[in-house]
Amino acid sequence: AWAFGPGLGRAPTLHPSIQGTLMARLGTTGGGNALRTNSGASIISAATYISLHTADPTTTGANEATGGSPAYARVAVTWGTPTFSAGTETVLNSNTITFNVPAGTYAYFGLWDALAGNYLMGGTCTSQTFSGQGQYQIAIGALSITATA
Protein backbone atom coordinates (compact mmCIF):
# COMPACT_ATOMS: atom_id res chain seq x y z
CA ALA A 1 0.00 0.00 0.00
CA TRP A 2 1.09 3.56 -0.60
CA ALA A 3 0.80 6.10 2.19
CA PHE A 4 0.55 9.88 2.54
CA GLY A 5 3.03 9.78 5.37
CA PRO A 6 3.06 7.50 8.40
CA GLY A 7 -0.43 6.24 9.20
CA LEU A 8 -2.32 8.66 6.96
CA GLY A 9 -4.06 6.36 4.49
CA ARG A 10 -3.46 4.29 1.40
CA ALA A 11 -2.44 6.14 -1.77
CA PRO A 12 0.76 7.00 -3.68
CA THR A 13 2.77 9.76 -2.13
CA LEU A 14 5.91 11.81 -2.43
CA HIS A 15 7.70 13.47 0.42
CA PRO A 16 9.71 16.46 -0.81
CA SER A 17 11.82 16.94 2.27
CA ILE A 18 12.49 20.47 1.16
CA GLN A 19 10.27 21.98 3.90
CA GLY A 20 6.65 21.65 4.82
CA THR A 21 4.19 18.87 4.24
CA LEU A 22 3.42 17.24 0.93
CA MET A 23 -0.16 17.15 -0.24
CA ALA A 24 0.02 14.80 -3.25
CA ARG A 25 -2.81 14.10 -5.65
CA LEU A 26 -2.57 11.46 -8.36
CA GLY A 27 -3.22 12.11 -12.00
CA THR A 28 -5.21 9.58 -14.02
CA THR A 29 -2.07 7.84 -15.30
CA GLY A 30 -0.34 7.87 -11.89
CA GLY A 31 -3.32 6.24 -10.22
CA GLY A 32 -3.21 3.37 -12.68
CA ASN A 33 0.52 2.82 -12.20
CA ALA A 34 0.28 2.93 -8.41
CA LEU A 35 -2.51 0.38 -8.26
CA ARG A 36 -0.51 -2.24 -10.14
CA THR A 37 2.22 -2.67 -7.50
CA ASN A 38 3.16 -2.05 -3.89
CA SER A 39 6.75 -1.18 -4.85
CA GLY A 40 8.11 2.35 -5.22
CA ALA A 41 10.13 0.98 -8.14
CA SER A 42 7.08 1.20 -10.41
CA ILE A 43 6.71 4.91 -9.75
CA ILE A 44 10.42 5.67 -10.02
CA SER A 45 10.63 3.92 -13.37
CA ALA A 46 7.64 5.93 -14.61
CA ALA A 47 8.34 9.33 -12.99
CA THR A 48 11.20 10.61 -15.16
CA TYR A 49 10.38 14.37 -15.29
CA ILE A 50 9.43 16.94 -12.67
CA SER A 51 7.59 20.25 -13.16
CA LEU A 52 6.95 23.41 -11.11
CA HIS A 53 3.51 24.98 -10.72
CA THR A 54 2.16 28.36 -9.59
CA ALA A 55 -1.02 26.80 -8.17
CA ASP A 56 -2.38 23.32 -7.42
CA PRO A 57 -1.76 21.04 -10.41
CA THR A 58 -4.96 19.12 -9.49
CA THR A 59 -5.14 15.73 -11.25
CA THR A 60 -4.08 17.02 -14.68
CA GLY A 61 -0.82 18.93 -14.18
CA ALA A 62 -2.57 22.31 -14.52
CA ASN A 63 -0.96 25.65 -13.60
CA GLU A 64 2.53 24.68 -14.77
CA ALA A 65 5.11 27.46 -14.99
CA THR A 66 5.70 29.01 -18.42
CA GLY A 67 7.95 31.60 -20.03
CA GLY A 68 11.17 33.20 -18.91
CA SER A 69 14.57 33.63 -20.50
CA PRO A 70 16.13 31.14 -20.32
CA ALA A 71 12.75 29.48 -20.72
CA TYR A 72 11.15 27.31 -18.05
CA ALA A 73 11.10 23.59 -18.92
CA ARG A 74 10.42 20.33 -17.12
CA VAL A 75 13.58 18.74 -15.74
CA ALA A 76 14.67 15.09 -15.80
CA VAL A 77 14.69 13.45 -12.39
CA THR A 78 16.70 10.36 -11.49
CA TRP A 79 16.22 8.11 -8.49
CA GLY A 80 18.67 6.24 -6.28
CA THR A 81 18.38 2.67 -5.11
CA PRO A 82 15.36 2.09 -2.85
CA THR A 83 16.00 1.40 0.83
CA PHE A 84 13.83 -0.87 2.97
CA SER A 85 13.11 -0.56 6.68
CA ALA A 86 10.28 -1.91 8.85
CA GLY A 87 7.89 -2.46 5.95
CA THR A 88 8.67 0.88 4.32
CA GLU A 89 10.42 1.41 0.99
CA THR A 90 11.94 4.83 0.28
CA VAL A 91 13.73 6.18 -2.77
CA LEU A 92 15.41 9.62 -3.07
CA ASN A 93 16.20 11.78 -6.08
CA SER A 94 19.82 11.24 -7.14
CA ASN A 95 20.32 14.43 -9.16
CA THR A 96 20.17 18.14 -8.42
CA ILE A 97 16.99 19.52 -10.00
CA THR A 98 17.26 23.10 -11.28
CA PHE A 99 14.42 24.99 -12.94
CA ASN A 100 14.82 28.30 -14.78
CA VAL A 101 11.75 30.31 -13.80
CA PRO A 102 10.29 33.72 -14.66
CA ALA A 103 9.03 36.10 -11.97
CA GLY A 104 6.31 34.48 -9.89
CA THR A 105 5.59 32.26 -6.89
CA TYR A 106 6.13 28.52 -7.17
CA ALA A 107 4.72 26.25 -4.47
CA TYR A 108 3.72 23.04 -6.29
CA PHE A 109 5.44 20.28 -8.24
CA GLY A 110 4.34 17.54 -10.64
CA LEU A 111 5.82 14.25 -11.82
CA TRP A 112 5.55 13.11 -15.45
CA ASP A 113 6.40 9.94 -17.39
CA ALA A 114 8.12 11.87 -20.23
CA LEU A 115 9.13 15.41 -21.16
CA ALA A 116 5.83 15.91 -23.02
CA GLY A 117 4.15 12.89 -21.41
CA ASN A 118 1.49 11.95 -18.90
CA TYR A 119 1.03 13.67 -15.54
CA LEU A 120 1.39 11.10 -12.74
CA MET A 121 1.08 13.01 -9.47
CA GLY A 122 1.96 16.26 -7.75
CA GLY A 123 1.77 18.21 -4.56
CA THR A 124 3.15 21.10 -2.54
CA CYS A 125 6.80 22.02 -2.13
CA THR A 126 8.62 24.91 -0.50
CA SER A 127 7.11 28.13 -1.81
CA GLN A 128 9.60 30.48 -3.41
CA THR A 129 8.84 33.90 -4.91
CA PHE A 130 11.02 35.43 -7.62
CA SER A 131 10.79 39.14 -8.50
CA GLY A 132 12.59 38.44 -11.78
CA GLN A 133 14.13 35.54 -13.66
CA GLY A 134 15.63 33.00 -11.25
CA GLN A 135 16.37 29.37 -10.48
CA TYR A 136 14.36 27.07 -8.23
CA GLN A 137 16.52 24.19 -7.02
CA ILE A 138 15.87 20.86 -5.30
CA ALA A 139 19.00 19.28 -3.81
CA ILE A 140 20.06 15.66 -4.20
CA GLY A 141 18.09 13.56 -1.71
CA ALA A 142 15.53 16.30 -0.96
CA LEU A 143 12.69 14.56 -2.83
CA SER A 144 11.61 11.07 -1.83
CA ILE A 145 8.94 8.54 -2.63
CA THR A 146 7.84 6.30 0.22
CA ALA A 147 5.75 3.14 -0.01
CA THR A 148 4.54 1.25 3.06
CA ALA A 149 3.51 -2.38 3.32
Side-chain angles (χ1 to χ4, degrees):
W2 291 92
F4 282 98
L8 297 181
R10 302 179 72 188
T13 185
L14 298 175
H15 294 271
S17 321
I18 303 167
Q19 287 179 1
T21 303
L22 170 72
M23 297 294 289
R25 179 184 294 120
L26 289 177
T28 305
T29 304
N33 285 341
L35 296 176
R36 284 194 293 251
T37 182
N38 286 339
S39 170
S42 67
I43 294 298
I44 66 170
S45 64
T48 56
Y49 281 85
I50 187 169
S51 56
L52 270 182
H53 300 258
T54 56
D56 188 348
T58 69
T59 60
T60 63
N63 305 307
E64 187 171 0
T66 61
S69 181
Y72 163 83
R74 293 177 189 160
V75 176
V77 60
T78 57
W79 304 99
T81 302
T83 59
F84 302 89
S85 176
T88 299
E89 178 180 0
T90 301
V91 64
L92 305 174
N93 65 303
S94 60
N95 65 316
T96 299
I97 301 164
T98 303
F99 296 97
N100 291 306
V101 294
T105 299
Y106 304 92
Y108 298 85
F109 72 95
L111 289 177
W112 303 77
D113 65 2
L115 183 59
N118 298 298
Y119 176 76
L120 302 174
M121 66 180 73
T124 60
C125 56
T126 300
S127 180
Q128 291 187 34
T129 300
F130 297 86
S131 58
Q133 183 74 22
Q135 290 189 326
Y136 186 108
Q137 192 167 77
I138 300 171
I140 293 171
L143 178 66
S144 70
I145 296 177
T146 300
T148 57

